[in-house]
């Protein structure tokens, strides 16, 4: 009663008193651990460890230990504790979720997919978090139709989820569903409250794939206004300008602008090479046209 009414110090003293009388009561150790955690007392983890020493099947204490290990990135311990807990209760969704998140954090997307799919079946009603994570698992495994379905699930569950609209739009671009992607990306732009450079870039790519170079140029420029260090936008802007403008010097200038910003960047080496090659070709064509 003291714990649920936020009287943590009083609750703490009651359980300490109880543990003096009943030191081998596993649940008293667990309750004391909960109270200490609520007070940000780091000794709480010792109480959960003691709980498991006294009762190796204590699911809630095992979960607290596994969660602590997860936050510390001690993934092998997360696996060990979760596997142990699941051996007593195979459908404990909290441990399945931890194993899914652990695999995802380690970029083991096949394993993560397995656990997130299992979690989706266990949890009553689809959850936005599960849909988004499954969307990314399918994306990294190049199962793009399934990925799109999950991102669509996510924004259907939460119509204000700008990130889900953005991700769905990106996948549509990969699937060649450009009109649908355009609609999703415009929604992402409309709903976003923070920086929108990624939304602008994805929209620009969508218009580029549709060969609407005028709109693509407009949105790549918007992306660069939001984030001048966006290398992909600067390079793609040059490509779109190359396709849109007839004037040779204008086309050359856009590639040169890319080189001015990113020529010294090690991450841009491939794009730098391609830009220089294209400038060389355009200069030759310009020279021949002048003759």
């Amino acid at each position: 009663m003291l714990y649920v009414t936020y009287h943590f110090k009083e609750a703490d003293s009651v359980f300490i008193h109880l543990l003096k009388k009943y030191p081998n009561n596993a649940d008293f150790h667990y309750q004391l651990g909960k109270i200490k955690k609520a007070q940000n007392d780091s000794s709480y983890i010792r109480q959960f460890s003691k709980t498991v020493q006294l009762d190796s099947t204590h699911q809630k204490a095992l979960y607290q230990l596994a969660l602590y290990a997860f936050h510390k990135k001690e993934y092998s311990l997360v696996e060990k504790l979760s596997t142990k807990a699941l051996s007593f209760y195979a459908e404990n969704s909290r441990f399945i979720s931890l194993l899914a998140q652990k695999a995802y954090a380690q970029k083991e997307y096949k394993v993560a997919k397995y656990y997130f799919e299992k979690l989706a079946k266990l949890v009553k009603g689809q959850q936005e978090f599960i849909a988004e994570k499954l969307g990314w698992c399918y994306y990294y495994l190049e199962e793009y139709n399934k990925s799109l379905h999950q991102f669509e699930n996510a924004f259907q569950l939460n119509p204000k989820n700008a990130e889900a609209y953005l991700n769905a739009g990106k996948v549509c671009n990969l699937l060649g569903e450009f009109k649908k992607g355009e609609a999703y990306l415009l929604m992402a732009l409309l709903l976003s409250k923070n920086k929108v450079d990624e939304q602008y870039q994805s929209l620009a790519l969508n218009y580029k794939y549709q060969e609407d170079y005028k709109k693509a140029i407009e949105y790549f420029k918007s992306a660069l206004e939001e984030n001048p260090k966006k290398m992909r936008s600067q390079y793609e802007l040059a490509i779109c300008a190359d396709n849109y403008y007839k004037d040779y010097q204008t086309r050359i200038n856009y590639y040169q602008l890319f080189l001015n910003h990113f020529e010294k960047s090690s991450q841009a080496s491939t794009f730098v090479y391609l830009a220089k090659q294209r400038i060389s070709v355009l200069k030759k064509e310009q020279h021949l046209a002048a003759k």
Side-chain angles (χ1 to χ4, degrees):
M1 186 270 292
L2 289 167
Y3 171 75
V4 297
T5 54
Y6 304 103
H7 293 85
F8 298 130
K9 286 185 180 179
E10 293 92 333
D12 192 301
S13 64
V14 170
F15 276 109
I16 287 172
H17 178 70
L18 283 167
L19 281 166
K20 283 178 182 176
K21 284 191 172 184
Y22 310 102
N24 294 324
N25 187 305
D27 202 55
F28 289 170
H29 282 285
Y30 173 72
Q31 296 298 338
L32 182 58
K34 274 174 61 180
I35 292 161
K36 289 192 176 297
K37 187 178 181 182
Q39 295 178 95
N40 295 316
D41 182 339
S42 60
S43 68
Y44 78 87
I45 204 68
R46 289 204 298 272
Q47 297 302 324
F48 294 138
S49 296
K50 185 67 177 175
T51 304
V52 172
Q53 283 174 24
L54 294 167
D55 178 4
S56 63
T57 68
H58 200 292
Q59 295 280 301
K60 290 180 178 178
L62 281 167
Y63 177 74
Q64 290 294 338
L65 291 172
L67 185 63
Y68 180 81
F70 179 77
H71 290 313
K72 292 282 184 182
K73 297 185 179 180
E74 296 173 3
Y75 295 131
S76 58
L77 183 56
V78 174
E79 179 105 28
K80 181 181 176 183
L81 291 166
S82 299
T83 304
K84 182 179 182 180
L86 290 168
S87 70
F88 301 120
Y89 175 32
E91 293 190 346
N92 190 322
S93 59
R94 300 178 90 186
F95 287 102
I96 292 167
S97 178
L98 266 185
L99 287 172
Q101 291 177 70
K102 176 201 82 79
Y104 188 87
Q106 293 180 296
K107 299 182 179 181
E108 295 172 353
Y109 299 117
K110 240 180 191 176
V111 177
K113 180 185 82 165
Y114 167 78
Y115 283 116
F116 278 122
E117 285 177 340
K118 193 171 183 179
L119 190 61
K121 290 176 185 175
L122 286 172
V123 176
K124 287 184 180 178
Q126 181 63 282
Q127 286 193 5
E128 184 183 354
F129 168 77
I130 299 171
E132 285 193 283
K133 287 297 185 185
L134 263 176
W136 280 116
C137 288
Y138 291 133
Y139 176 86
Y140 289 122
L141 294 168
E142 298 183 8
E143 297 179 51
Y144 297 126
N145 283 303
K146 287 184 178 181
S147 176
L148 176 59
H149 177 65
Q150 290 302 327
F151 288 132
E152 287 174 333
N153 272 349
F155 66 64
Q156 283 164 10
L157 289 161
N158 176 9
K160 293 183 179 179
N161 189 334
E163 196 70 21
Y165 275 107
L166 172 62
N167 296 333
K170 286 180 176 179
V171 177
C172 282
N173 282 351
L174 291 171
L175 290 169
E177 296 184 27
F178 302 124
K179 285 298 177 185
K180 185 193 277 191
E182 180 184 354
Y184 289 161
L185 292 166
L186 284 168
M187 276 299 292
L189 195 58
L190 184 68
L191 292 168
S192 295
K193 294 176 182 177
N194 301 316
K195 284 184 73 176
V196 288
D197 54 309
E198 191 65 22
Q199 286 85 337
Y200 281 134
Q201 178 175 281
S202 296
L203 256 175
L205 287 167
N206 180 283
Y207 289 125
K208 178 197 167 189
Y209 299 144
Q210 294 185 69
E211 298 184 4
D212 188 342
Y213 298 115
K214 186 179 180 181
K215 277 190 180 178
I217 289 168
E218 176 190 336
Y219 281 104
F220 280 130
K221 284 182 176 179
S222 295
L224 289 162
E225 282 175 18
E226 288 280 320
N227 181 3
K229 294 181 180 178
K230 211 159 185 65
M231 177 184 68
R232 175 84 185 271
S233 287
Q234 192 76 69
Y235 180 72
E236 295 286 357
L237 173 61
I239 291 175
C240 289
D242 194 359
N243 281 278
Y244 182 69
Y245 296 109
K246 292 181 179 179
D247 178 64
Y248 285 105
Q249 194 56 50
T250 301
R251 292 151 74 186
I252 290 165
N253 289 345
Y254 272 97
Y255 284 112
Q256 191 57 55
L257 188 63
F258 169 76
L259 293 175
N260 292 346
H261 283 90
F262 296 103
E263 188 170 9
K264 293 180 181 178
S265 169
S266 58
Q267 293 179 330
S269 57
T270 302
F271 293 135
V272 167
Y273 171 78
L274 292 170
K276 286 181 175 179
Q277 288 289 102
R278 187 58 184 152
I279 286 172
S280 176
V281 169
L282 287 171
K283 282 184 174 178
K284 286 176 183 175
E285 289 179 2
Q286 185 182 38
H287 179 70
L288 290 170
K291 281 187 173 182

